[in-house]
Amino acid sequence: MKNDRSKAAWALAIHGGAGDLGADGLPAERERAVRAALGEILGAAARILAEGGTSLDAVGEAVRLLEDSPLFNAGKGSVFNARGEHELDASIMDGATLSAGAVAGLTRVKNPIVLARRVMAASPHVFLAGEGALEFAKAERVALVEPEYFSTEDRRRALERARADAARSAPTEPETVGAVALDVDGHLAAATSTGGLTNKLPGRVSDSAIIGAGTYASDASCAVSCTGQGEFFIRGTAARDVAALLEYAGADLRSAAESVLRERVEARGGRGGLIALDRIGRIVCPFDTDAMYRAYTAAGDEAVVAIGRGEPDGNDESIRRRRGG
Ligand code: ASP
């Protein structure tokens, strides 16, 4: 199996959210910590693919590790809603079968992405929310924590700032995490997880929980994970639109991803970014905020970790080289 010539080259991209950094930019210490975490988590998920593991396992593990890091707004380190509580959302999609799992409004599940995958694999449904999702988590023996587990001082200060501004939906720091992967069997997968937006209304559901909005994968086209003001990504069916442009209009990945961000999100007043990966391992990471925490790699390529504008946002060059033109 290992030397099977028909095997595709694997590829992987992760994000830790798009957002603005404020006039002073990211403090140097935080920037170092974010870059180190992105690099480590990319490496751990890349090993799964390099050893012949599935794209679903790779995106699930990348997002689980991002959730466990307090640096990112998902799992531990999630933002607070207007009531000073956490409500977590996540979704995952298998491009080979179009199977999907999603969860919303979780308050006690340590790793929402693990539960989303159980919903996909072990229930007849796609989407579970609130109380019923908690019951299902208990039945599936998914790890639970007390709600305070998710809280960090940084996020508490962000809530205080947001309350002072009465700003409910403007992105501040980069939010949300996600991953897209292509495995050696040519299968694509995508996963996204978030604590949502600081000061959101209780019960608000993000695009990150919605298949076709914040997450989409199909072996027919590409895998996509979005970040930004979720309401705009939901209305714009952003993730699915990127795939649809490839499937129906024959667009290339970069122009599809950039035009969805421009026409379906920005043109209506929304901001954010996305990572997308197609069947040949092309990766693009467009965003219209100050920054998007991102990292990517592919079989035979160096890992790239980037934060700001002016840093790499895709592997077009190496794909061109690999394809001999
Ligand atoms: N999309 C997420 C949400 O709307 C937040 C983000 O990615 O910044 O909750």
Side-chain angles (χ1 to χ4, degrees), residues 8-12 46 50 296-303 315 318 321-322:
W10 59 266
L12 170 71
Y296 53 85
T297 186
D301 283 355
E302 296 280 311
N315 66 353
S318 88
R321 263 201 317 276
R322 217 175 289 162

Side-chain angles (χ1 to χ4, degrees), residues 71-131:
L71 293 168
F72 308 105
N73 171 25
K76 188 166 184 60
S78 283
V79 299
F80 290 90
N81 67 13
R83 221 191 261 148
E85 296 169 350
H86 305 286
E87 289 182 316
L88 280 54
D89 299 346
S91 62
I92 187 164
M93 186 159 185
D94 177 3
T97 59
L98 303 189
S99 303
V103 288
L106 305 181
T107 57
R108 295 200 42 213
V109 174
K110 179 169 183 265
N111 290 106
I113 200 64
V114 170
L115 187 61
R117 182 138 183 212
R118 296 310 301 152
V119 171
M120 177 174 86
S123 90
H125 306 301
V126 168
F127 200 158
L128 290 181
E131 272 300 302

Side-chain angles (χ1 to χ4, degrees), residues 15 17-18 73 89 171 173-177 194-197 200 204-208 226-231 233:
H15 73 79
N73 171 25
D89 299 346
E173 281 174 61
E175 318 266 18
T176 299
V177 305
T194 192
L197 296 175
K200 65 185 180 180
R204 180 258 189 189
V205 174
S206 71
D207 63 314
S208 313
C226 300
T227 164
Q229 292 168 288
E231 283 68 15
F233 287 79

Side-chain angles (χ1 to χ4, degrees), residues 6-306:
S6 68
K7 295 278 179 192
W10 59 266
L12 170 71
I14 64 174
H15 73 79
D20 292 333
L21 301 176
D24 301 334
L26 205 57
E29 203 178 307
R30 189 168 178 93
E31 175 170 342
R32 264 197 302 280
V34 166
R35 285 187 191 273
L38 288 172
E40 265 169 42
I41 292 168
L42 184 80
R47 270 194 297 282
I48 294 174
L49 295 167
E51 287 166 6
T54 67
S55 52
L56 261 187
D57 283 347
V59 296
E61 181 63 0
V63 170
R64 190 185 68 80
L65 293 169
L66 288 159
E67 287 176 340
D68 284 349
S69 166
L71 293 168
F72 308 105
N73 171 25
K76 188 166 184 60
S78 283
V79 299
F80 290 90
N81 67 13
R83 221 191 261 148
E85 296 169 350
H86 305 286
E87 289 182 316
L88 280 54
D89 299 346
S91 62
I92 187 164
M93 186 159 185
D94 177 3
T97 59
L98 303 189
S99 303
V103 288
L106 305 181
T107 57
R108 295 200 42 213
V109 174
K110 179 169 183 265
N111 290 106
I113 200 64
V114 170
L115 187 61
R117 182 138 183 212
R118 296 310 301 152
V119 171
M120 177 174 86
S123 90
H125 306 301
V126 168
F127 200 158
L128 290 181
E131 272 300 302
L134 179 60
E135 263 169 49
F136 181 72
K138 287 178 181 162
E140 287 293 313
R141 300 181 180 285
V142 168
L144 300 180
V145 290
E146 291 305 315
E148 300 75 56
Y149 162 82
F150 301 112
S151 303
T152 57
E153 265 322 295
D154 278 353
R155 300 300 185 192
R156 203 177 291 282
R157 277 195 295 275
L159 176 64
E160 281 154 18
R161 281 197 303 274
R163 279 176 171 161
D165 289 356
R168 279 201 196 284
S169 59
T172 46
E173 281 174 61
E175 318 266 18
T176 299
V177 305
V180 290
L182 170 69
D183 63 32
V184 293
D185 291 314
H187 297 313
L188 289 159
T192 311
S193 179
T194 192
L197 296 175
T198 299
N199 207 25
K200 65 185 180 180
L201 289 176
R204 180 258 189 189
V205 174
S206 71
D207 63 314
S208 313
I210 298 175
I211 297 300
T215 303
Y216 192 78
S218 168
D219 283 4
S221 50
C222 60
V224 182
S225 171
C226 300
T227 164
Q229 292 168 288
E231 283 68 15
F232 294 88
F233 287 79
I234 295 170
R235 292 185 200 118
T237 57
R240 171 60 199 158
D241 261 35
V242 176
L245 282 171
L246 268 64
E247 289 169 27
Y248 302 143
D252 71 274
L253 190 70
R254 180 166 290 282
S255 64
E258 289 180 352
S259 74
V260 165
L261 202 56
R262 200 174 50 241
E263 313 294 337
R264 311 274 303 163
V265 176
E266 232 178 283
R268 294 169 173 149
R271 298 179 67 215
L274 60 87
I275 56 173
L277 167 57
D278 69 11
R279 293 187 295 171
I280 60 162
R282 186 188 309 274
I283 293 163
V284 298
C285 317
F287 57 100
D288 60 17
T289 45
D290 291 350
M292 182 164 77
Y293 296 159
R294 59 200 186 274
Y296 53 85
T297 186
D301 283 355
E302 296 280 311
V304 172
V305 176

